[in-house]
């Protein structure tokens, strides 16, 4: 058992949205969490906030097609933001097929949501990035959305294998820097992710591709 990070000052479920008219009002910046089903989205949200049951909605049918909002403030001195758990995707070429296959809700959200600051793209470290991940990154770049790619479940590989996987993902996705390598069992990787989020949120304007 690792020594956990301090739990977030605030971490609470706000709303599950089935359409854009339900998106919460207000100016809070948002960080969206994207990735295939089972890549570790909910688990990472729990680890980030130090609330072990926060995001686990398995066994709640329907939730998998909604945008799940959590209000988060990691520490007293940190900015408040909304963390948005996106439905697991199965998308293809952008933007038309993305719209059709991943659903109008997510594409409308990424395209239009003013306060969206950062899209976290999660990929299981044991899987090579696929076209769908390239498509999402390409589409976010077109929409001038900042992105951060995260390889999850790093504890499943040795340190040497993790390094190779990160290099391969960086190349496959044409990333300007290596992806963040995370595991809920590696405390320092979660601390690093917290730091990256706080840095992204400390900029005044939505991150542009050139800034990410
Ligand atoms: N070993 C390990 N398993 C993980 C990690 N993160 C997630 N998992 C497991 O991966 C599975 C899917 O995780 P979940 O968060 O439900 O994925 P989601 O569908 O993207 O929300 C669960 O069985 C988790 O326990 C990790 O860092 N290490
Ligand atoms: Mg989930």
């Amino acid at each position: 058992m690792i020594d956990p990070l301090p739990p977030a000052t605030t971490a609470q479920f706000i709303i599950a949205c089935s359409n854009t008219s339900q998106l919460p009002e207000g100016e809070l910046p948002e960080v969206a969490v994207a990735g295939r089903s089972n890549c570790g989205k909910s688990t990472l949200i729990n680890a980030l906030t130090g609330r072990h049951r926060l995001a686990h909605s398995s066994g709640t049918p329907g939730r998998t097609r909604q945008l799940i909002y959590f209000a988060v403030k990691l520490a007293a001195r940190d900015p408040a933001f909304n963390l948005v758990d996106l439905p697991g995707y199965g998308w293809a070429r952008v933007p038309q097929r993305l719209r059709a296959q991943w659903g109008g809700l997510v594409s409308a959200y990424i395209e239009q949501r003013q306060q969206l600051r950062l899209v976290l793209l999660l990929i299981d470290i044991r899987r090579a990035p696929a076209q769908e991940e390239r498509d999402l990154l390409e589409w976010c770049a077109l929409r001038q959305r900042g992105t951060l790619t995260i390889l999850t479940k790093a504890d499943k590989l040795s340190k040497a294998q993790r390094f190779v996987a990160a290099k391969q993902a960086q190349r496959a996705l044409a990333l300007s820097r290596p992806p963040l390598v995370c595991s809920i069992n590696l405390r320092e990787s979660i601390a690093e992710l917290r730091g990256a989020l706080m840095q992204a949120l400390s900029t005044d304007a939505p991150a542009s591709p050139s800034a990410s």
Side-chain angles (χ1 to χ4, degrees):
M1 197 51 193
I2 58 159
D3 181 21
L5 293 165
T9 304
T10 305
Q12 63 193 50
F13 169 76
I14 298 292
I15 190 175
C17 304
S18 302
N19 60 65
T20 50
S21 68
Q22 298 171 324
L23 295 176
E25 289 180 6
E27 306 283 300
L28 273 188
E30 295 182 359
V31 174
V33 185
R36 274 193 186 175
S37 308
N38 227 39
C39 69
K41 295 183 294 298
S42 301
T43 307
L44 196 66
I45 289 173
N46 290 345
L48 260 178
T49 56
R51 304 292 170 91
H52 294 293
R53 304 189 62 79
L54 182 68
H56 270 130
S57 55
S58 32
T60 316
R63 283 277 167 98
T64 54
R65 294 197 166 178
Q66 295 173 314
L67 306 184
I68 317 286
Y69 268 78
F70 302 98
V72 176
K73 188 174 167 66
L74 292 178
R77 65 178 186 284
D78 287 334
F81 63 103
N82 285 328
L83 203 48
V84 186
D85 193 359
L86 300 180
Y89 54 69
W91 61 62
R93 291 300 304 170
V94 287
Q96 294 86 351
R97 279 204 260 160
L98 184 73
R99 280 209 184 89
Q101 297 183 14
W102 195 21
L105 176 59
V106 175
S107 49
Y109 171 77
I110 292 182
E111 199 163 304
Q112 295 161 18
R113 187 68 166 166
Q114 281 287 338
Q115 56 266 67
L116 175 59
R117 291 291 167 80
L118 185 67
V119 177
L120 306 180
L121 171 58
L122 274 53
I123 306 171
D124 187 318
I125 196 166
R126 296 165 295 177
R127 194 172 65 68
Q131 190 60 42
E132 59 203 19
E133 276 96 16
R134 282 192 282 276
D135 288 345
L136 179 66
L137 291 177
E138 185 187 330
W139 197 55
C140 284
L142 278 174
R143 310 310 311 183
Q144 309 217 320
R145 296 301 192 188
T147 56
L148 177 64
T149 303
I150 300 170
L151 302 184
T152 60
K153 311 187 194 182
D155 57 285
K156 299 279 190 184
L157 298 183
S158 71
K159 269 194 179 167
Q161 289 171 321
R162 278 176 219 159
F163 182 77
V164 172
K167 281 282 174 212
Q168 285 173 343
Q170 182 178 9
R171 203 174 320 119
L173 296 169
L175 302 173
S176 57
R177 60 179 76 161
L180 215 57
V181 172
C182 275
S183 160
I184 57 158
N185 298 317
L186 297 169
R187 183 186 192 277
E188 62 281 5
S189 72
I190 304 299
E192 193 183 352
L193 176 56
R194 280 189 175 191
L197 291 189
M198 289 310 99
Q199 199 183 352
L201 292 175
S202 68
T203 57
D204 303 337
S208 69
S210 57
S212 66

